Amino acid sequence: MQRVFKQSFMLSVTTAIALLFAGCGESKVAQCNKVIKVANQASTLGQEFGKNPNPAKGSKALTELAGKIDPLAQEMKSLEIKDEKLQGFQGRFITLYQNISKELNNAAGAIDKKNLPAAKGFLVSLKKSSTEESSIVKEINSYCSAK
C-alpha cells in the first residue's frame, strides 16, 4: 500500500512539474509580437526606400537596402519560437528576406553592367516578393489575432 502511494505521489509531482514548465513558456501573443516586430522593421525599410529611392545613388542604393535586410533575416532566424505555426511564418519570412536581398544585389549588378533587361527581370521578381510579403503578413495577423 505504501509503495502504491509513493508511486502515485511521484507521478503527481512529476506531472505538476511538467505542467509548471509548460505553463512558463512564452504565450502565443508574445511569440507573435517577436515575429511581427522584425517583419515590421523590414516593411518599414521597404516603404522608406519606395518613398525615397534616390536614383542618384543608382545600384548603390539597392545594395545598401540589401545590406539592411540581411541583418533582419538573421534577427528573424535567431528568434526562439515554439509555436509550430509561427515557426512556419518565421521560415517563410527568412526565405523571403534572403530572396529579396539576393534580388536587390542581382538588380544592382545588372544595372552596373547596363543590362537593363536583366535589371527589369529582377525588379519584377522583387514585386512578386512584395506580394508574397503581403500574403504572409495577412496570414500571420489572422493567426495571431485568433483566440
Side-chain angles (χ1 to χ4, degrees), residues 1 3-4 6-7 18 20 23 27 29 35 42 45 47 59 66 71 77 92 103 119 131 135 137 140 145:
M1 180 72 173
R3 180 183 165 143
V4 172
K6 195 175 194 179
Q7 286 176 341
L20 180 65
S27 71
V29 172
V35 174
L45 281 176
Q47 289 171 2
S59 65
K77 189 182 274 189
R92 288 170 63 192
E103 293 300 325
T131 303
S135 173
V137 167
I140 195 169
S145 64

Side-chain angles (χ1 to χ4, degrees), residues 1 14 20 27 34 43 45 48 50 53 62 68-69 79-82 84 88-89 95 98 104 136 138 141-142:
M1 180 72 173
T14 304
L20 180 65
S27 71
K34 284 182 181 181
S43 179
L45 281 176
E48 288 173 358
L62 298 177
K68 292 177 182 176
I69 291 174
L79 295 177
E80 290 187 33
I81 304 297
K82 304 288 186 223
E84 286 184 30
F89 290 125
T95 301
Q98 290 170 339
L104 286 168
I136 299 170
K138 284 180 187 174
N141 283 338
S142 174

Side-chain angles (χ1 to χ4, degrees), residues 59-81:
S59 65
K60 186 175 181 186
L62 298 177
T63 54
E64 284 176 5
L65 181 58
K68 292 177 182 176
I69 291 174
D70 284 334
L72 291 177
Q74 291 305 315
E75 184 176 345
M76 182 68 80
K77 189 182 274 189
S78 71
L79 295 177
E80 290 187 33
I81 304 297

Side-chain angles (χ1 to χ4, degrees), residues 22 24-25 29 49 54 74 77 89-90 93 110 118 122 128 135 137:
C24 289
V29 172
F49 183 80
N54 199 350
Q74 291 305 315
K77 189 182 274 189
F89 290 125
Q90 179 186 27
F93 275 123
F122 292 127
K128 183 180 173 190
S135 173
V137 167

Side-chain angles (χ1 to χ4, degrees), residues 72-131:
L72 291 177
Q74 291 305 315
E75 184 176 345
M76 182 68 80
K77 189 182 274 189
S78 71
L79 295 177
E80 290 187 33
I81 304 297
K82 304 288 186 223
D83 184 287
E84 286 184 30
K85 185 88 170 169
L86 286 174
Q87 287 174 347
F89 290 125
Q90 179 186 27
R92 288 170 63 192
F93 275 123
I94 292 166
T95 301
L96 177 71
Y97 299 152
Q98 290 170 339
N99 289 341
I100 288 173
S101 179
K102 179 181 170 188
E103 293 300 325
L104 286 168
N105 285 319
N106 288 341
I111 290 170
D112 286 343
K113 294 177 184 173
K114 306 216 184 307
N115 185 347
L116 293 182
K120 284 182 182 179
F122 292 127
L123 294 176
V124 166
S125 182
L126 283 168
K127 268 190 172 177
K128 183 180 173 190
S129 293
S130 173
T131 303

Side-chain angles (χ1 to χ4, degrees), residues 27-57:
S27 71
K28 174 181 152 185
V29 172
Q31 292 179 63
C32 283
N33 288 339
K34 284 182 181 181
V35 174
I36 291 170
K37 179 183 174 207
V38 177
N40 284 342
Q41 290 174 326
S43 179
T44 300
L45 281 176
Q47 289 171 2
E48 288 173 358
F49 183 80
K51 288 179 186 172
N52 304 311
N54 199 350
K57 283 188 168 182

